[in-house]
């Protein structure tokens, strides 16, 4: 194995054309070079399956922003628990969706705060709010470990809600349209777990290249040996600076892709790997997320 390449989907491997065939071909072309691939997204496992099924060699699926990981069979370990779904061993962080929903209902009763989770909405309502197709919205609603919320109350109530969630072992990630309630984990933790598993399997240190465009990719980009940052549709670019809170430093190699989508992704990844071929990279354990 050469590199672990962990990539975000929307705005990174996928552009607005949403060409899953081209994305699968891009993933396959890197896998054929001996790299291990992980797709890391805020999407659900159900939403990610279509792309995974188009890949010749199934990638690891980091879903719901790292709240769950679906391991392909080659990475299973004897002691692993978790159900096997569509050929993947599915493992969740935290106590799962049913428990999360009961916490949210209890909080709503005790605080009187007004909010609506995906479970409280119809598929048609989710489709309208997200711009997804009806079938896409149905897949987005098949949640396993985290819940997007539409906040309908005051910012002060939101602050109290966030504190109450923290006391119960959850975190609130603020997004554009939705707030995501999830266990205390993120994409970076899942990528680190995968890197450790690969290092064990191959008895060798694993170098990590991460691709992403948004705030929810920052952790995994900072934890990587090589970061490839993709521009957002409005032309702005995620800034990667040293994070005082975690002590994470900026990777030795940071590259900027020209645009999102499979072709640009392949060019950027190829370029990054070529450039860093001789660059100094960090040993495992050097990342703040290990
Ligand atoms: Mg993205």
């Amino acid at each position: 194995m050469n590199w672990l390449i962990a990539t975000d989907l929307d705005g990174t491997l996928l552009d607005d054309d949403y060409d899953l065939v081209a994305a699968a071909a891009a993933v396959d072309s890197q896998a054929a070079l001996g790299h291990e691939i992980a797709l890391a997204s805020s999407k659900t496992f159900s939403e990610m399956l279509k792309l995974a099924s188009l890949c010749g060699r199934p990638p690891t699926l980091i879903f719901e922003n790292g709240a769950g990981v679906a391991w392909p069979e080659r990475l299973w370990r004897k002691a692993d628990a978790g159900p096997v779904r569509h050929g993947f061993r599915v493992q969740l962080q935290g106590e799962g969706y049913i428990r999360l929903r009961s916490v949210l209902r209890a909080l709503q009763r005790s605080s009187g705060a007004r909010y609506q989770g995906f479970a409280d909405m119809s598929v048609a309502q989710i489709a309208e709010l997200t711009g997804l197709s009806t079938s896409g919205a149905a897949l987005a609603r098949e949640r396993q470990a985290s819940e997007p919320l539409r906040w309908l109350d005051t910012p002060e109530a939101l602050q109290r809600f966030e504190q109450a969630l923290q006391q119960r072992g959850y975190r609130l990630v603020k997004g554009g349209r939705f707030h995501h309630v999830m266990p205390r984990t993120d994409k970076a933790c899942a990528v680190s777990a995968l890197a450790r598993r690969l290092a064990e399997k191959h008895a060798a240190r694993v170098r990590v290249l991460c691709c992403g465009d948004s705030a929810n990719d920052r952790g995994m980009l900072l934890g990587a040996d090589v970061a490839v940052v993709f521009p957002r549709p409005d032309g702005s670019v995620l800034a990667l600076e040293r994070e005082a809170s975690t002590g994470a430093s900026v990777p030795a190699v940071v590259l900027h892709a020209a645009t999102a989508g499979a072709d640009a992704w392949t060019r950027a990844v190829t370029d990054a790997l070529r450039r860093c071929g001789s660059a100094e990279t960090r040993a495992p354990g050097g990342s703040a997320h290990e």
Side-chain angles (χ1 to χ4, degrees):
M1 195 202 109
N2 294 322
W3 285 76
L4 164 58
I5 301 173
T7 182
D8 173 47
L9 295 181
D10 287 1
T12 299
L13 178 60
L14 297 170
D15 60 13
D16 289 344
D17 292 339
Y18 234 72
D19 188 341
L20 296 183
V21 172
V27 165
D28 281 343
S29 70
Q30 294 304 320
L33 296 172
H35 305 311
E36 185 66 42
I37 316 293
L39 308 180
S41 176
S42 57
K43 293 179 188 302
T44 62
F45 175 62
S46 300
E47 286 178 288
M48 295 175 80
L49 274 177
K50 178 74 198 275
L51 172 55
S53 72
L54 293 170
C55 296
R57 185 175 191 256
T60 299
L61 306 180
I62 295 169
F63 58 91
E64 296 184 41
N65 274 321
V69 178
W71 304 96
E73 193 169 356
R74 66 181 177 279
L75 296 177
W76 293 359
R77 294 190 295 205
K78 272 200 181 121
D80 279 346
V84 176
R85 295 195 178 127
H86 300 275
F88 292 89
R89 169 92 60 202
V90 176
Q91 292 187 322
L92 304 178
Q93 295 293 317
E95 295 171 286
Y97 191 63
I98 292 171
R99 168 78 186 139
L100 169 55
R101 284 297 310 168
S102 85
V103 166
L104 289 175
R105 276 194 303 272
L107 275 178
Q108 200 156 36
R109 273 196 304 272
S110 62
S111 69
R114 286 169 291 126
Y115 53 82
Q116 218 182 7
F118 269 21
D120 306 312
M121 300 180 203
S122 66
V123 167
Q125 220 178 340
I126 294 171
E128 197 187 321
L129 284 170
T130 57
L132 291 167
S133 65
T134 307
S135 56
L139 296 177
R141 200 169 179 268
E142 288 181 11
R143 313 208 63 85
Q144 296 193 54
S146 70
E147 179 75 326
L149 288 185
R150 195 156 69 118
W151 189 254
L152 304 168
D153 214 309
T154 62
E156 293 74 28
L158 180 63
Q159 219 171 1
R160 289 194 296 274
F161 175 70
E162 185 171 9
Q163 283 166 1
L165 280 176
Q166 282 167 358
Q167 285 162 6
R168 287 158 181 80
Y170 293 96
R171 59 193 287 256
L172 187 69
V173 180
K174 290 162 193 163
R177 205 176 287 119
F178 300 105
H179 291 69
H180 296 262
V181 182
M182 58 183 294
R184 280 201 200 109
T185 189
D186 59 13
K187 291 184 184 183
C189 293
V191 170
S192 289
L194 172 55
R196 284 195 299 273
R197 193 172 281 223
L198 290 168
E200 246 171 58
K201 184 182 172 197
H202 298 282
R205 91 181 190 84
V206 175
R207 292 176 298 174
V208 182
L209 181 153
C210 287
C211 300
D213 70 313
S214 295
N216 64 343
D217 302 316
R218 185 192 302 275
M220 70 170 183
L221 289 166
L222 285 170
D225 296 292
V226 177
V228 182
V229 183
F230 287 69
R232 302 187 188 103
D234 66 2
S236 65
V237 175
L238 178 73
L240 284 187
E241 62 280 322
R242 189 180 184 283
E243 274 196 351
S245 57
T246 62
S249 55
V250 179
V253 180
V254 178
L255 274 107
H256 291 89
T259 180
D263 290 345
W265 184 90
T266 299
R267 276 196 300 276
V269 167
T270 305
D271 187 28
L273 292 179
R274 196 178 54 231
R275 283 206 218 177
C276 70
S278 59
E280 197 64 28
T281 51
R282 273 186 274 156
S287 145
H289 306 280
E290 289 286 321

